[in-house]
Amino acid sequence: MALLRRPLLLLLLIVTHQFLQFRIAFGSVNEEGQKQEEFYEELLLKPLPDRKLLTHFHFQSSAPPSTSNGRHRHLFPKAISQLVLKFQVKEMELSFTQGRWNYESWGGFDPIPSSNAKPPGVELWAVFDAPQHLIDALWKNLTHTLSGLFCASINFLESSTAYSAPEWSFPPASGKLRYGTLPREAVCTENLTPWLKLLPCRDKAGISMLLDRPSIYRGFYHSQRLHLTSTGSGSEGMDPGIILEQTLTVVLQPDSQRASLAHASEKHIQPSWSLSSIFGKQISGRCVLAETSNVYFLLDRGLVAELEHIHKENEKSEENVLISEKFWNNPSFELSAKPDRIFIEESSLLSKNASVLYKFEIEKYGESEPFDLGLFWKTPVVWLCQQAPLHANRFLMGSGNERGAIAISLKSTQSSEGFMGSNSNDERCELRVDVFQVVPWYVKVYFHSLQVFVDQQPKAVSDIIEKIHVSPSKDKVSPGVMELVLTLPCSVSSAVLTIEFDKGFLHIDEYPPDANQGFDIPSAIVSFPDFHARMVFLENDSLNKSPLLSKFQEKSPVMSYTEVLLVPLTTPDFSMPYNVITITCTVFALYFGSLLNALRRRVAEEERFLKDKAAKKMDRIPLLLSKLSAKLRGRHLEGPQAPPASSSFINSKSVLKVILIAGFAMYWQYYFS
């Protein structure tokens, strides 16, 4: 009987272990059979016109309302859940960015640049669900928590001089919004590792296996972003539901020797690539905790139009090879894997310029057959990405360390005419532009000096600026905030805004260690509320299961960030305190050294020592002659005289000098302390 019980017990343990794994993997199930917590992982690959490749990692974790008070979660990170509950966060976004998004080459009208192209350094904004008088305190505590969670200097945003409260120009604008940036924050693997720890599988399985640190940080641009949204529970005693979205956008340069050898004479040939050549790894299966694990390959509108044009010239056929059965081996490019699905943008029903999306499901691949998507270009292709209506730049004017001016330049990309249609030439056609600008308190902006130039002609401010909100800066208290709503004609070719400022003076303790490098003015945000970056694909049930494609279909305003300005301020000579301290210490050392040497020296003993030393060097004959002459004279030979008894003690004058010097030193220390 004992032998029979052992296999039964072993079988029971195996079944229990499998049940617990299944429960942990798919979360708890409610009475209606709906999954409580879900996790999705997706990757988007998109070729860029300037021979680069855009890789966009998208991870989403969701947790429904619960009664655990944030103490227990199956898949959702516990740290984020407790952060939302403790600081009453309704919505928050944190980004770490290195480099600047090239709007001219990489486009500015797609959902990716509008939502994931961020300014250099750290950007943090949060909307709180709390009374107005508690928001500043919650913001400060939130910055300290995020600083420790992501190993960054986010705690510097706790100062009132480092954050602002936008009213309406920032997209999630509300009275409970706080916004802050750190343009000079360095981004490294210390920030990426805590970000990866929030994933259920981390970087051990699934698509996140491709996140090779050297491959990511040698790219031209990379931005890791964390966006969370808290949804209401609908009942008392329930924790709110949370949706956590983690994205990593990287622009890489594929290194393809095959393309350079095969088309050495072609200037516009695109480099061929594969996942293993870019990241040095392959995807050996999906994360077992993920609901879906997909890889998408996107051809944007301009590239699709150019490929169709090349195909029509070569084959003289009207067939769309991008969606035909031979799409993986067409005259323009070749894919190493066969896609599972093909999605066409809905705009293709009205226009031929539509994006094409190839979908690859990772569930079919494993360690025996890893997924390694590759692309080989056969012919050179030249195209342009879709641009925003206006291209924004910002620069400084003036010279010297006293005053200057900030200029924001808006240049037409000829896109607004296509968006507006035939109404673009109408005088009543208007283009709305929102501008949000934050300046530090030591850059004293004169808002009354605002000037507007349209097509190089000066215009009245009231004719162009429809709405303005200004919050002047306060010295060492708060930064200056300027929010503008511009109304420009649709046929505008260029517009420039200028505003003058004076450079302030800082206390020596307020200068950073690299003060001679200059001081940063954060990027300005230029948005176009009338234009929405979205990609709507044909109706399909699989789209509802993809958070990435669902995100593409949301209406988000087109937004772009300007450059970070570097302002040189009047900087003191930090070497002068060092020189003064060095000279003072040298003088005191010489003075006290000479004084102590004079006080402790015994002159008589030194003279006797010198006489004894000289006597020892005398020869015996001179010594005998001196003794003989002394006897003839009737005198005795005098030896070295002993020093007087008073020479071994310090006289009263020396003691008085020491007391005076010690008293002066004590007074000096007390006065300067």
Side-chain angles (χ1 to χ4, degrees), residues 100 118 158 165 337 359 378 386 415 461 564 589 616 636:
R100 184 175 180 268
K118 297 299 177 180
E158 70 162 348
K359 176 183 177 181
K378 300 179 181 180
Q386 191 171 3
S415 298
V461 175
V564 175
K616 291 180 180 180
H636 297 283

Side-chain angles (χ1 to χ4, degrees), residues 399-435:
S399 60
N401 292 328
E402 295 184 8
R403 56 185 58 90
I406 300 176
I408 299 178
S409 174
L410 303 174
K411 294 183 179 180
S412 176
T413 58
Q414 305 299 328
S415 298
S416 59
E417 297 181 1
F419 297 145
M420 295 297 182
S422 59
N423 296 328
S424 59
N425 296 325
D426 190 357
E427 296 180 356
R428 294 175 297 177
C429 179
E430 295 179 346
L431 176 63
R432 178 180 172 181
V433 182
D434 292 352
V435 179

Side-chain angles (χ1 to χ4, degrees), residues 229-453:
T229 305
S230 175
T231 59
S233 60
S235 61
E236 297 182 358
M238 297 283 291
D239 295 339
I242 307 173
I243 299 177
L244 175 63
E245 180 186 354
Q246 296 177 248
T247 62
L248 178 63
T249 306
V250 186
V251 177
L252 301 171
Q253 175 67 62
D255 185 11
S256 176
Q257 298 180 357
R258 181 182 176 186
S260 61
L261 294 176
H263 302 274
S265 61
E266 301 290 347
K267 298 181 180 180
H268 303 291
I269 187 68
Q270 293 291 322
S272 301
W273 52 265
S274 64
L275 293 179
S276 57
S277 64
I278 295 175
F279 298 103
K281 297 180 181 179
Q282 300 175 349
I283 302 178
S284 59
R286 70 181 185 91
C287 175
V288 296
L289 302 177
E291 297 288 336
T292 59
S293 180
N294 301 322
V295 174
Y296 299 96
F297 178 69
L298 177 64
L299 302 177
D300 62 4
R301 303 180 183 96
L303 178 56
V304 171
E306 184 65 23
L307 293 177
E308 291 180 353
H309 178 70
I310 294 175
H311 177 71
K312 290 179 180 180
E313 288 184 350
N314 297 334
E315 300 294 335
K316 304 299 181 180
S317 173
E318 297 296 332
E319 181 185 5
N320 192 346
V321 295
L322 299 177
I323 60 176
S324 64
E325 296 180 355
K326 297 181 180 180
F327 53 85
W328 62 87
N329 188 13
N330 60 70
S332 301
F333 65 90
E334 179 181 354
L335 293 175
S336 62
K338 181 179 179 180
D340 298 301
R341 297 293 301 272
I342 303 178
F343 301 105
I344 307 175
E345 196 176 0
E346 195 176 33
S347 59
S348 63
L349 300 177
L350 302 175
S351 174
K352 294 183 179 181
N353 296 336
S355 301
V356 178
L357 186 69
Y358 301 129
K359 176 183 177 181
F360 303 87
E361 297 179 357
I362 307 301
E363 296 179 356
K364 304 185 302 182
Y365 301 89
E367 295 183 357
S368 60
E369 185 184 357
F371 178 75
D372 187 15
L373 178 62
L375 175 67
F376 176 70
W377 291 96
K378 300 179 181 180
T379 58
V381 183
V382 180
W383 78 97
L384 296 176
C385 292
Q386 191 171 3
Q387 304 290 328
L390 298 175
H391 181 66
N393 288 105
R394 192 178 60 163
F395 53 90
L396 290 175
M397 298 189 304
S399 60
N401 292 328
E402 295 184 8
R403 56 185 58 90
I406 300 176
I408 299 178
S409 174
L410 303 174
K411 294 183 179 180
S412 176
T413 58
Q414 305 299 328
S415 298
S416 59
E417 297 181 1
F419 297 145
M420 295 297 182
S422 59
N423 296 328
S424 59
N425 296 325
D426 190 357
E427 296 180 356
R428 294 175 297 177
C429 179
E430 295 179 346
L431 176 63
R432 178 180 172 181
V433 182
D434 292 352
V435 179
F436 173 66
Q437 173 69 73
V438 179
V439 292
W441 65 267
Y442 44 78
V443 178
K444 305 180 184 302
V445 177
Y446 297 109
F447 295 101
H448 71 277
S449 63
L450 179 64
Q451 295 181 353
V452 181
F453 299 87

